[in-house]
């Protein structure tokens, strides 16, 4: 592919034409918040709406994970419009996330905490009414637990489960009720799970977590495709 030069916040960056903008930026040390991006996923899922950037010459900000680079592109990461859009997306995500960081297995390793810290945002914003979910937690699997109340619907678990050919996880329901479930809503212990723990490895929050004593290092699956 043809080499190209673009600028990100005024800094020259080299890439290849057609490379994905989000990964070009991240690989060159620029921070763009993201929850749902998986390297190489085509098309990108683009559900979290956190990765907005401005491309010079465009009327409106665009999501970096759906954008490919071309020569002479000029990207801005922190314009007022970008901040407004991604902050709103973040607040909406948190408005129905079960926030209980102190008792969460992912505390200090949660991507929501990381994004809040990187962007200087609060984890308990006041702008939107909180509508936390009250769905049953599935602890039936001997290796991991699934808490749908902490799920951010990033689709990474669905992606890796299908990529491995198991495909027991998918989306069900619509709108605010959308949830990741097994086919037919069966408990994980009764689904045809191959116990690879790929879904646990890619979950950016505390929704899919290994049970005490279970090490992800022992899992067959190594998440190399995602940030
Ligand atoms: S990373 Fe782009 S929309 Fe989620």
């Amino acid at each position: 592919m043809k080499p190209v030069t673009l600028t990100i916040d005024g800094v020259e960056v080299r890439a290849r034409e057609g490379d994905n903008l989000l990964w070009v930026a991240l690989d060159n040390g620029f921070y763009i918040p993201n929850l749902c991006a998986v390297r190489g996923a085509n098309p990108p899922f683009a559900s979290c709406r956190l990765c907005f950037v401005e491309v010079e010459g465009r009327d409106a900000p665009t999501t970096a994970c759906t954008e490919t680079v071309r020569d002479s592109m000029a990207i801005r990461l922190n314009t007022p419009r970008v901040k407004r859009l991604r902050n709103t997306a973040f607040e909406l995500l948190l408005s129905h996330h079960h926030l209980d960081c102190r008792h969460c297995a992912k505390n200090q390793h949660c991507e929501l905490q990381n994004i809040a810290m990187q962007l200087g945002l609060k984890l308990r914003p006041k702008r939107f009414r909180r509508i936390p979910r009250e769905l049953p937690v599935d602890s039936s699997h001997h290796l991991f637990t699934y808490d749908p109340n902490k799920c951010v619907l990033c689709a990474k678990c669905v992606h890796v489960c299908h990529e491995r050919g198991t495909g027991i996880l998918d989306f069900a329901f619509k709108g605010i009720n959308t949830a990741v479930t097994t086919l037919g809503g069966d408990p994980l212990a009764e689904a045809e799970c191959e116990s690879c723990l790929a879904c646990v490895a890619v979950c950016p929050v505390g929704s899919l977590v290994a049970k005490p004593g279970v090490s992800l290092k022992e899992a067959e699956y190594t998440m190399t495709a995602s940030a």
Side-chain angles (χ1 to χ4, degrees):
M1 276 189 286
K2 200 170 109 189
V4 296
T5 303
L6 60 152
T7 61
I8 302 178
D9 282 346
V11 178
E12 267 193 9
V13 168
R14 291 187 213 298
R16 291 166 306 167
E17 193 167 66
D19 282 349
N20 180 281
L21 175 58
L22 176 67
W23 298 110
V24 168
L26 294 176
D27 291 346
N28 282 278
F30 295 91
Y31 180 69
I32 299 180
N34 68 90
L35 274 178
C36 68
V38 174
R39 202 184 284 264
N42 195 11
F45 191 55
S47 68
C48 73
R49 319 308 285 171
L50 291 173
C51 67
F52 278 107
V53 297
E54 292 232 34
V55 180
E56 195 177 273
R58 300 263 183 92
D59 288 343
T62 185
T63 44
C65 69
T66 56
E67 194 68 39
T68 52
V69 301
R70 55 185 162 65
D71 201 34
S72 306
M73 216 175 187
I75 309 297
R76 292 276 166 199
L77 302 184
N78 290 298
T79 66
R81 291 199 300 179
V82 164
K83 286 183 186 171
R84 201 162 54 241
L85 283 169
R86 74 182 179 206
N87 292 3
T88 300
F90 191 64
E91 289 178 38
L92 284 169
L93 267 173
L94 289 168
S95 70
H96 60 117
H97 181 78
H98 185 108
L99 275 169
D100 183 20
C101 299
R102 269 199 314 144
H103 299 105
C104 179
K106 270 288 189 70
N107 191 18
Q108 309 293 324
H109 304 283
C110 170
E111 194 52 32
L112 289 174
Q113 291 177 324
N114 182 42
I115 291 169
M117 190 191 70
Q118 296 272 0
L119 301 181
L121 300 175
K122 289 189 171 31
L123 279 171
R124 287 186 185 275
K126 303 251 182 314
R127 195 153 54 117
F128 299 114
R129 185 162 65 94
R130 284 190 49 71
I131 314 173
R133 301 169 183 210
E134 298 294 343
L135 298 169
V137 176
D138 186 346
S139 302
S140 64
H141 197 283
H142 64 295
L143 294 179
F144 66 98
T145 302
Y146 170 48
D147 183 348
N149 305 303
K150 294 180 183 170
C151 177
V152 289
L153 302 175
C154 69
K156 284 182 172 174
C157 59
V158 174
H159 176 83
V160 292
C161 193
H162 283 257
E163 191 182 50
R164 289 181 62 81
T166 315
I168 62 156
L169 294 177
D170 217 326
F171 287 105
F173 314 116
K174 286 187 176 171
I176 198 164
N177 295 319
T178 305
V180 171
T181 68
T182 58
L183 194 64
D186 290 339
L188 284 157
E190 291 169 27
E192 291 182 7
C193 173
E194 291 180 5
S195 304
C196 67
L197 299 184
C199 57
V200 177
V202 298
C203 181
V205 295
S207 182
L208 285 154
V209 292
K211 288 193 167 173
V214 176
S215 168
L216 281 186
K217 290 193 191 107
E218 289 162 17
E220 294 169 37
Y221 187 86
T222 310
M223 187 59 187
T224 52
S226 146

